[in-house]
Amino acid sequence: MYQVYLRSFADGNGDGIGDLSGLLARLPYIAALGVDAIWLNPWYPSPMADGGYDVADYRDIHPMFGTLAQARELVHRAHAMGIRVLIDIVPNHCSLEHPWFREALRGGPGGAARERFLFRPGRGVNGAEPPNDWQSRFGGAAWTRITEPDGTPGEWYLHLFDSSQPDWNWHHPKVQEEFEDILRFWFDLGVDGFRIDVADKLVKHPDLPDLAQWSHDDHPFSDRDEVHDIYRRWRQIADSYPGARTFVGEIWTPSVERLARYLRGDELHSAFDFSLLASPWDEAKMRQTIEEALAAHEAVGAAPTWVLSNHDVVRAVTRYGIGDGSMLRLSAASTRKGRVDLALGTRRARAIALLALALPGSAYVYQGEELGLSEVLDLPEDRREDPIFFRTGGDQLGRDGCRVPLPWSGEEEPFGFSEVDVSPWLPQPKEWGRLTVEAQERDPASMLNLYRRALHCRRDQRAEWGEEVRWLATPPGVLGFLRGDAFASLTNFSSEPVELPAHPQVLLLSEERAGSDLPPDATAWVTVT
Ligand code: GLC
């Protein structure tokens, strides 16, 4: 599955912003990668306070991305190429510009329109303190006080994310009905499924208690049991459509067992498993992570969904080039102190890509990972957009650095992303000239060619690989496993070369090697007899 961050994929109309016409023109590139489907980040009308995760209208396309007619055309053309299309649904919150939120503000306290959101009076003298102690995921309080229509300081509304993203009240039947209708709208248009944003946080404890009072298994807003009822209803809607329609949940749970509960037969088809992404570069920890994920998924009869990167975390080549590779967000301080070893990060990113693609289940590849793009750390402050940067006063760099527009061709910005002389919405590093698609197509050893070969090999051999992973007895520092009877993947996590046992054929190697050794920080795909 290939994740398309539309705004940064390809610009078709020369305004410096990626769009549907750019994507339509580049669909053959995606088909040639050898993926089965694309997932597009939100494309809805939005003030773009959080990259479009602040939705103003769930049934339309942002004019800067294109039109509904182009969305239809995308689905049609992708299907003709054998590519399925998943879009992003954002059910936890909307935007300040959503008509229902505006109506809620106008309606005044106690009005029916406010009940679709989570408005509460403040605490303390004159209600000047937030209603509870919850913190926004992006920093600061999870509540913002409004001014009432009569000009007085008024109620507070809950936003687990930015203040531009008011949370819906999922106890309200109208909210439930509305989202079911939105699903139908897009299924009717032909999309194959949805990635569900913040899927585990929709339902809040009706009393909105302080987190300080929280006792173990009744968290007031994360992974509450009631959320499963929503997905059972959604599943029925998906199943009522012809063809295979699918959901993938964005769920960050502390344990993979909790994650697997979303994958019971009548709920979601899949959920991102972020455990590999967060695992340090260490063969024992990686193995444990994979074993636990496989066992938890097997218990509910679901396939795991591996993720190595996305639009929210530090790009892989930077991540593996800093510390132990498990740092998903960067503080300004960590990048000042720690030097990033991009050569090491690139080797490890290549190795882990092969490891992940050798596992059973599905895998998501975030655009640009197949080019080995690094996190852009030196974006000028006035070009940054991520609310995380602003809400933490710049302590956290935020996620703009992994969202820089793709380099396609040529030697200078915009590297074929847009028309010549157009500045992309985020500036591209000069060094990306050697990472363009055009440059990498010419180089047999490039990251792009590694991904293409791996994805095609995986697709061709999937049937023979079966669903099982059998671990191999390997030297210390090496993680190896068999898929089916004739295929094995071996990763060298150590800093020394190890001898590769004799194999009839090496199918793919993430690094050049001297002699028969598997170099450090490398993966080999081999056939066995
Ligand atoms: C998810 C999205 C992220 C967004 C957040 C709030 O984590 O992936 O980009 O900021 O939800 O919608």
Side-chain angles (χ1 to χ4, degrees), residues 135-147:
Q135 295 292 299
S136 154
R137 312 278 93 190
F138 290 167
W143 295 90
T144 292
R145 193 172 198 185
I146 61 158
T147 302

Side-chain angles (χ1 to χ4, degrees), residues 50 53 93 138 161 195 197-198 250 311-312 399 403:
D50 180 25
Y53 283 93
H93 44 260
F138 290 167
F161 292 86
R195 176 263 191 191
D197 188 57
V198 195
E250 185 216 16
H311 64 292
D312 289 329
R399 301 159 296 175
R403 301 174 177 180

Side-chain angles (χ1 to χ4, degrees), residues 409-413 415-416 429-430 432-434 436 438-439 442:
S409 58
E411 298 297 327
E412 54 192 46
E413 195 177 75
F415 297 112
K430 287 195 189 59
W432 280 12
R434 59 182 184 82
T436 61
E438 183 185 51
R442 285 194 300 260

